[in-house]
Amino acid sequence: MYKWLMFAIFIAASVLGVYLMLFQLPEKEEVVPEIAFEVPDTPHDADAAITQYAQTCLSCHGDQYQGNMGPALKTVGATMTKEQIYRKIMDGGNGMPPFKDSLSEEEIINLTNWLAEMN
């Protein structure tokens, strides 16, 4: 009896799998390549960047950039490109909140250029 029950479950699962493959799988979406963004190489305002850092970053990255909840930023310019730093600030990730809605584009670019100089 047990063998017949297992056989019936196997057949039902097989029929369901074939049905899903034939009729329910979504169409493949065309992958649109992300447009490359290059951070403008503008002179940064260090005082504004330090103020912005103190308001938004200090609690997670520390007052000496040593890291706390977030990673240390003492050498972030040596380990990440400006574009990677910019994306991380914009989109967040790995526990970091995104700042694209709370900081202006100019503030993020200024902070990015300032952080990129930390080697």
Side-chain angles (χ1 to χ4, degrees):
M1 174 76 174
Y2 179 72
K3 290 180 183 178
W4 289 107
L5 179 61
M6 293 304 291
F7 181 70
I9 291 172
F10 173 74
I11 294 297
S14 298
V15 169
L16 178 63
V18 169
Y19 174 78
L20 289 175
M21 286 194 306
L22 292 176
F23 301 107
Q24 297 296 318
L25 291 178
E27 296 292 324
K28 287 187 176 182
E29 293 181 13
E30 184 177 322
V31 177
V32 178
E34 188 175 316
I35 298 172
F37 175 78
E38 190 172 319
V39 176
D41 196 20
T42 58
H44 64 273
D45 181 357
D47 292 334
I50 291 170
T51 301
Q52 194 63 55
Y53 178 88
Q55 292 173 350
T56 57
C57 312
L58 184 124
S59 62
C60 294
H61 296 285
D63 61 344
Q64 299 297 313
Y65 322 112
Q66 76 276 13
N68 189 13
M69 275 181 22
L73 298 178
K74 287 182 178 183
T75 59
V76 70
T79 58
M80 295 175 76
T81 66
K82 285 196 302 185
E83 287 71 25
Q84 290 171 325
I85 296 169
Y86 176 84
R87 278 281 150 226
K88 182 59 86 171
I89 295 170
M90 286 289 285
D91 301 330
N94 295 334
M96 180 172 162
F99 287 98
K100 61 184 166 195
D101 295 331
S102 58
L103 298 177
S104 71
E105 181 80 14
E106 293 79 25
E107 290 172 326
I108 293 174
I109 290 173
N110 187 48
L111 193 58
T112 297
N113 286 327
W114 178 71
L115 286 170
E117 288 188 358
M118 293 189 176
N119 296 339

